[in-house]
């Protein structure tokens, strides 16, 4: 268990975070394990869309993007109409295509987004 009372688990190709009370969240797999929390949120795919969840495993804001990166410096780059590219030799994939924008922690686009 980490400082938030969460255990990180990997079952097959699916990563999870699990709370002591049994609440669990399937998250994106990153580096052969569950995605990392960045600035208090983690990425999860809900009905094919990317959403961000807090350390209570509660939705931080609506899952409405096709792709998204971890938060950094209070914002994150997300995209619509994008997809995962081909895996490199290390098994990592990049997000290709689509329209990208930068959003802040409440899920709204920042004014300087492309």
């Amino acid at each position: 268990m980490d400082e938030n009372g969460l255990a990180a688990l990997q079952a097959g190709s699916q990563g999870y975070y699990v709370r002591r009370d049994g609440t669990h969240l399937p998250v994106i797999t990153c580096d052969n394990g569950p995605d990392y929390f960045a600035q208090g949120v983690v990425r999860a795919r809900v009905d094919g869309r990317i959403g961000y969840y807090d350390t209570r495993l509660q939705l931080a804001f609506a899952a409405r993007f096709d792709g998204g990166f971890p938060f950094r410096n209070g914002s994150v780059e997300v995209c619509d109409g994008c997809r995962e590219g081909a895996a490199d030799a290390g098994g990592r994939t990049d997000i290709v295509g689509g329209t990208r924008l930068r959003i802040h922690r409440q899920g709204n686009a920042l004014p300087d987004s492309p």
Side-chain angles (χ1 to χ4, degrees):
M1 294 280 174
D2 67 10
E3 66 275 3
N4 297 304
L6 297 172
L9 303 172
Q10 185 73 24
S13 63
Q14 181 63 62
Y16 295 88
Y17 280 99
V18 181
R19 297 184 55 80
R20 286 186 175 107
D21 66 6
T23 302
H24 63 282
L25 175 68
V27 297
I28 291 174
T29 299
C30 180
D31 296 332
N32 298 317
D35 193 26
Y36 305 100
F37 277 88
Q39 298 193 290
V41 293
V42 67
R43 299 172 291 170
R45 194 166 294 282
V46 178
D47 296 328
R49 307 290 276 179
I50 296 292
Y52 291 83
Y53 287 77
D54 64 23
T55 57
R56 296 179 324 249
L57 306 183
Q58 300 283 324
L59 188 62
F61 54 85
R64 63 181 195 265
F65 306 104
D66 291 322
F69 295 91
F71 267 82
R72 186 173 170 197
N73 299 322
S75 66
V76 65
E77 185 178 303
V78 295
C79 62
D80 280 318
C82 57
R83 60 178 173 73
E84 284 189 15
D88 65 15
R92 292 194 172 108
T93 59
D94 197 7
I95 297 175
V96 297
T99 302
R100 295 179 184 233
L101 65 145
R102 186 159 286 284
I103 60 172
H104 60 56
R105 186 67 166 73
Q106 289 72 37
N108 298 319
L110 292 168
D112 61 346
S113 288

